[in-house]
Amino acid sequence: MREVWEKLSETHRALILGLVIFALGLALRLAGMGWGLPNENRIHALHPDEEVVLAYSQQIQPARRDFTPGFYNYGTLYLTLVKISSDVVMGYGGGPQKEDGSDRVQGIAQLMSAARLLSAVAGAATAWVIFALLRRRTHVVGAILGGLMVAFAAAFTVHSRFMTVDAVGTLFVALALYWAVRLFPESDEEGQLIPISESDFRRAALAAGAFAGLAASTKYAGVLAWVAVALAAVWWLSRQDAEGKPLRPVGSLLAATAMSFGVVVAVFLLGTPGAILEPEAFQRDFWYEVNHVATGHGLVFAGTAPAGIYHLINLHENLGLILVMGALAGLIVGSRREATPWMGSVLAFGLLTYLSLARAEVKFMRYVFPLLPVLAVGAGWALGEMHRKGTNWSRAVVAAGVLAVGGVFGGGLMRALTYTGWMMSTDPRDEVGQLLRRTEADKTVGIVADPWFWSVSLYPAIHGGPMMGWPYRSGNRDAASGPQVLQFVPENPDTRMKWDERLLTELRPDLVVFTSFESEGYDRLALLAEKEPNRVPEAYRSEMERYVAFTKRLTELYNLEIRYAQDRPAVHDLMYIRPEVWVWRRKDLPMPN
């Protein structure tokens, strides 16, 4: 086997290694792909965004050349890809086909599965791209480890199973960085820079621009990837030969850079034509998203650490602290070396992205995914250079890197496998719902908020979200039986509130259930109110006080009977796959047999 391997060309070896990394990443992502899909017992998806994405994607009609869904919180390229995947499924007899709607739930699950496959492939392909980038710039050991960092990044593997924009957007960012790095000369074994032909330079500039445009048309912040092209142009402008002449003709350099930016704009508009065709809707949703990120996401992140610190925790969840710190060291050292100027462009993109996140009040885990290729490049390059040194100390560093990729120091493969196991098992909302339907069918169960993805699965339609409308949500709740589900709703439903004490004092359900999604933020603010009351945001003070009053009355009237999934993740958009569940029983009721 070794002899066969040694006879292969360097290109064929790289292709095989890249395919192996891709296959490992894809195999990991395919496990647990069925998590949270609609089924006969739960007719809505557990992920809160997937049905919204699917609904808007169906507004796009490629055959009619209609690419304007009327929804622009993100670019619409991903929606177009979802629509194409849906059409393929429908073309082969899948999806909802029957006029009576009897196959709707199964059909919707098939459409979601096809779109989730796009995310899984994109997540695994991102690892392959990072390997390909590093293979040209450092030892193959570092390239393999850098690729595996992305393949096994714990939270990234989770989100690569969702029908959302994040994995696809991250792939386009990685591809833009790959081609931007190609704008810098490679080094030979003696550290001398190898010249780049004009045609290769122009091709790399245009490709980097195209993928930056695709990234922006998936998630707007992806346009920042183009900064790596701009940095490459600046570097070339500063380079002169021994006679003081520019290493590259200034005119052709500026022309290639300008064309690259033009490609960014053109590709973005091709992917999101609504920016021109529906300017009012585009500007409405674009600025809504900008303001939303700047102002916050309700109580989810209220009272948490500043985003600059919070996102370090998010990165640790993916890679572990050792790899994050090693990656930063690699990026800084590499950026200062004469032989690796390309590292500066990767670092610049990472810094711009991080600074844009650090100013925000919304701190979702998925926002840091574009930083994963950057960190993987930094750590992979550093480990590759350590392997080249061959000293005992450098070998120890590489060994530590291998353990870190495996997740020994947090994040990595071990954490990814834990999350995968959760996604392959019964969700806590379903498990507790099955238990209550089996043992408490003759009881009444109170819920503390409007039913949605956070709710325990007490009846099939309970996870229908706001897009379904209040009549649908309240009607299905009122029709539920075995057990009957109660929610306190005033005469004017528009005045209903979460954590309304009247649920306990007037409706007096036999049981009360809620999840960590519903209590998220309240406990944190209540604790903050005890220690530093002035730090509690005024906008949430009344909600927090209502929650405190509700829980106080709850403990007076009810006993905690079930507390399930206490090992759930603390990060909001990892908790999707494993929320904690509480079940309280009224004190004057006997325990079930």
Side-chain angles (χ1 to χ4, degrees):
M1 190 70 178
R2 183 175 182 179
E3 293 179 357
V4 174
W5 179 257
E6 291 177 349
K7 289 180 180 179
L8 294 174
S9 67
E10 187 67 25
T11 301
H12 286 118
R13 291 180 189 176
L15 177 61
I16 292 172
L17 289 173
L19 280 170
V20 169
I21 291 171
F22 171 78
L24 290 173
L26 184 60
L28 179 61
R29 285 157 172 79
L30 292 179
M33 284 277 286
W35 169 87
L37 287 173
N39 56 43
E40 64 276 6
N41 298 316
R42 176 178 33 74
I43 64 175
H44 295 284
L46 287 180
H47 193 289
D49 299 332
E50 288 188 320
E51 289 187 350
V52 177
V53 170
L54 184 62
Y56 279 113
S57 73
Q58 302 310 300
Q59 303 303 311
I60 294 174
Q61 301 294 333
R64 301 176 188 172
R65 290 177 289 183
D66 182 359
F67 297 92
T68 53
F71 174 81
Y72 299 100
N73 288 29
Y74 301 108
T76 56
L77 176 61
Y78 181 72
L79 297 179
T80 303
L81 296 176
V82 171
K83 174 58 176 175
I84 293 172
S85 71
S86 298
D87 287 347
V88 171
V89 171
M90 296 285 286
Y92 282 91
Q97 298 280 349
K98 297 180 180 180
E99 293 185 4
D100 62 1
S102 59
D103 64 343
R104 183 183 181 279
V105 173
Q106 179 184 3
I108 293 298
Q110 291 171 345
L111 298 184
M112 287 183 173
S113 295
R116 286 182 173 191
L117 184 59
L118 292 174
S119 295
V121 171
T126 303
W128 190 353
V129 171
I130 296 306
F131 165 78
L133 187 158
L134 287 168
R135 184 190 69 84
R136 306 174 69 95
R137 302 290 172 167
T138 190
H139 192 277
V140 68
V141 168
I144 292 171
L145 291 175
L148 291 178
M149 278 178 63
V150 177
F152 299 154
F156 189 46
T157 62
V158 171
H159 281 259
S160 296
R161 301 183 182 106
F162 296 152
M163 187 179 68
T164 54
V165 301
D166 303 287
V168 173
T170 303
L171 171 61
F172 289 142
V173 164
L175 285 165
L177 293 178
Y178 170 85
W179 284 104
V181 166
R182 295 281 295 269
L183 293 169
F184 292 88
E186 298 181 35
S187 302
D188 59 22
E189 294 182 357
E190 297 179 357
Q192 298 299 312
L193 300 180
I194 303 172
I196 306 174
S197 69
E198 285 299 317
S199 61
D200 286 345
F201 186 89
R202 191 179 305 110
R203 179 167 64 101
L206 296 178
F211 284 114
L214 291 172
S217 194
T218 307
K219 291 190 71 174
Y220 297 127
V223 73
L224 294 176
W226 190 80
V227 74
V229 177
L231 264 290
V234 171
W235 183 83
W236 278 109
L237 286 171
S238 68
R239 305 298 295 175
Q240 298 177 340
D241 60 19
E243 299 178 357
K245 296 180 180 179
L247 284 181
R248 304 202 75 82
V250 175
S252 64
L253 174 62
L254 294 178
T257 306
M259 286 190 295
S260 177
F261 185 74
V263 168
V264 174
V265 176
V267 170
F268 169 75
L269 293 177
L270 285 173
T272 308
I276 294 176
L277 300 177
E278 291 186 306
E280 292 185 5
F282 174 79
Q283 292 178 31
R284 176 200 66 207
D285 292 348
F286 176 84
W287 289 113
Y288 165 80
E289 188 65 18
V290 170
N291 292 330
H292 172 66
V293 170
T295 55
H297 193 74
L299 279 163
V300 172
F301 302 109
T304 59
I309 298 173
Y310 196 94
H311 285 309
L312 292 178
I313 300 172
N314 285 339
L315 291 171
H316 167 69
E317 281 288 331
N318 277 283
L319 304 173
L321 184 60
I322 296 296
L323 278 182
V324 172
M325 300 305 294
L328 292 174
L331 288 165
I332 293 171
V333 171
S335 298
R336 299 178 63 183
R337 287 193 178 183
E338 182 70 19
T340 54
W342 58 274
M343 291 284 281
S345 66
V346 176
L347 177 60
F349 164 72
L351 285 174
L352 276 178
T353 300
Y354 183 75
L355 289 174
S356 68
L357 297 177
R359 297 176 62 251
E361 291 298 325
V362 179
K363 309 162 190 176
F364 287 123
M365 164 69 74
R366 55 186 179 269
Y367 288 2
V368 306
F369 291 159
L371 293 174
L372 297 181
V374 176
L375 295 176
V377 166
W381 177 82
L383 292 170
E385 296 308 295
M386 284 293 175
H387 183 81
R388 277 177 172 167
K389 287 185 177 180
T391 64
N392 290 336
W393 182 80
S394 63
R395 290 194 189 99
V397 172
V398 174
V402 172
L403 294 175
V405 171
V408 172
F409 307 117
L413 179 60
M414 291 176 63
R415 185 71 59 84
L417 290 175
T418 296
Y419 293 157
T420 301
W422 288 347
M423 295 185 77
M424 295 178 70
S425 59
T426 304
D427 187 272
R429 285 159 288 191
D430 291 343
E431 192 158 350
V432 173
Q434 292 168 10
L435 174 66
L436 295 181
R437 291 198 303 271
R438 185 173 65 251
T439 63
E440 310 287 352
D442 59 338
K443 300 294 193 298
T444 57
V445 178
I447 58 176
V448 300
D450 289 353
W452 197 13
F453 71 96
W454 47 53
S455 302
V456 172
S457 306
L458 295 170
Y459 55 89
I462 195 169
H463 301 110
M467 69 177 296
M468 305 301 297
W470 174 245
Y472 175 89
R473 300 165 83 189
S474 61
N476 278 287
R477 184 204 64 227
D478 291 341
S481 60
Q484 181 184 0
V485 179
L486 304 178
Q487 176 188 3
F488 187 85
V489 180
E491 185 175 346
N492 178 4
D494 294 338
T495 64
R496 65 190 185 278
M497 302 178 295
K498 294 181 179 179
W499 306 106
D500 195 322
E501 275 189 80
R502 289 173 289 184
L503 171 71
L504 308 177
T505 57
E506 296 185 19
L507 299 186
R508 301 185 70 245
D510 301 322
L511 303 167
V512 174
V513 300
F514 55 88
T515 70
S516 48
F517 278 118
E518 294 165 286
S519 63
E520 186 177 22
Y522 291 101
D523 287 321
R524 182 172 59 246
L525 289 185
L527 184 61
L528 189 62
E530 293 179 4
K531 297 181 178 180
E532 301 177 74
N534 292 333
R535 287 189 57 198
V536 177
E538 192 62 34
Y540 304 122
R541 187 176 297 276
S542 62
E543 283 190 69
M544 181 269 295
E545 291 174 347
R546 186 167 65 249
Y547 169 77
V548 171
F550 182 97
T551 52
K552 181 180 179 181
R553 184 61 61 91
L554 181 68
T555 56
E556 292 172 357
L557 302 176
Y558 290 75
N559 289 319
L560 178 61
E561 183 169 310
I562 297 174
R563 186 177 181 184
Y564 188 72
Q566 296 184 53
D567 56 349
R568 53 96 174 175
V571 178
H572 174 82
D573 45 347
L574 284 180
M575 195 163 57
Y576 288 159
I577 63 173
R578 191 171 177 82
E580 190 171 357
V581 180
W582 290 268
V583 179
W584 294 74
R585 180 180 297 274
R586 213 170 67 228
K587 289 183 177 180
D588 59 347
L589 291 179
M591 297 290 290
N593 295 327

